[in-house]
Amino acid sequence: KIYSLSDESKKVLKNLKNDLEIYVLFDERDQIFDELNELLKRYENLSKKIKVKFIDPEKNILEAKRLVEELGITQNNSIVLKSKDKKKFIYGTELAEYDYTGMQWGQPPTLKSFKGEEVLTTGILNVSEEKQIKIGFIKGHNEFSINEYNEIGLSEAKENLEKRNYKIEEI
């Protein structure tokens, strides 16, 4: 299923109520550009509410500068999801996992996995949902912390819930 979307992504895209603009400021020479381009075409083909605009900051400097100022972009290789008055920034480093072991011999990092669909679908949920359900975790009585990154922390559960557009807080 390399070239198909997950059922969850399809459901999110089909249930969009408002228009969604996706601005992609990415260098076309980036390792993940082709996969990102292919993924966003699939999103656009599945929902008429999605409009994707690619801007190569190297080739189209003026348009990139205008968007940086208008949308508040702070990094190269960024994606901005915009629906009504909500914006979500996604950075290239969030879209993939890299292997850096070759860097000690002067080689560039190699792509281990592309996480674009998961990250983009979560971002779309964040800007398209009208309301966000809150989940509270009790603290102060020796409960496991949602902010600890170890075998007894709940940080992974917190991250998975946030990816599904839940607002997580400690009480």
Side-chain angles (χ1 to χ4, degrees):
K1 292 193 169 189
I2 293 172
Y3 296 107
S4 62
L5 295 173
S6 70
D7 291 339
E8 189 170 331
S9 290
K10 289 177 185 175
K11 181 180 167 190
V12 168
L13 296 173
K14 287 181 180 177
N15 289 328
L16 284 176
K17 293 176 181 72
N18 299 309
D19 289 342
L20 174 73
E21 300 168 79
I22 302 176
Y23 297 96
V24 184
L25 275 78
F26 245 84
D27 186 332
E28 292 177 5
R29 298 168 297 192
D30 192 279
Q31 285 184 27
I32 63 170
F33 180 83
D34 291 336
E35 284 148 331
L36 180 61
N37 185 25
E38 178 64 35
L39 176 64
L40 289 171
K41 282 181 185 174
R42 283 185 260 143
Y43 279 39
E44 238 178 346
N45 288 335
L46 200 60
S47 175
K48 297 200 183 313
K49 300 232 179 244
I50 292 181
K51 301 291 180 252
V52 178
K53 183 163 186 172
F54 279 90
I55 298 100
D56 185 334
E58 298 288 319
K59 293 181 180 175
N60 198 340
I61 297 168
L62 293 177
E63 177 72 5
K65 184 178 181 199
R66 183 186 69 75
L67 279 175
V68 164
E69 291 171 1
E70 180 183 321
L71 298 172
I73 298 168
T74 59
Q75 289 185 28
N76 288 335
N77 287 356
S78 297
I79 298 171
V80 180
L81 307 173
K82 186 176 181 219
S83 181
K84 290 177 123 183
D85 60 340
K86 291 183 179 178
K87 286 189 287 191
K88 168 82 174 156
F89 295 90
I90 297 172
Y91 303 108
T93 54
E94 298 173 67
L95 297 171
E97 195 174 316
Y98 294 95
D99 179 4
Y100 295 96
T101 55
M103 290 186 71
Q104 59 190 343
W105 296 289
Q107 298 171 345
T110 55
L111 183 64
K112 280 176 60 176
S113 66
F114 179 66
K115 304 184 297 185
E117 181 178 355
E118 177 185 346
V119 172
L120 285 165
T121 298
T122 299
I124 290 170
L125 264 175
N126 287 333
V127 297
S128 65
E129 291 289 313
E130 295 295 322
K131 58 184 175 180
Q132 192 174 24
I133 296 171
K134 292 181 183 177
I135 298 176
F137 286 81
I138 297 172
K139 72 174 184 175
H141 300 94
N142 297 324
E143 291 85 7
F144 297 130
S145 172
I146 61 173
N147 296 313
E148 286 185 36
Y149 291 90
N150 58 35
E151 65 276 352
I152 60 169
L154 296 172
S155 60
E156 194 171 322
K158 175 187 173 189
E159 288 174 10
N160 285 326
L161 289 167
E162 287 174 336
K163 287 178 182 177
R164 287 169 176 76
N165 201 34
Y166 292 102
K167 181 166 178 58
I168 307 302
E169 54 189 41
E170 285 188 322
I171 301 171

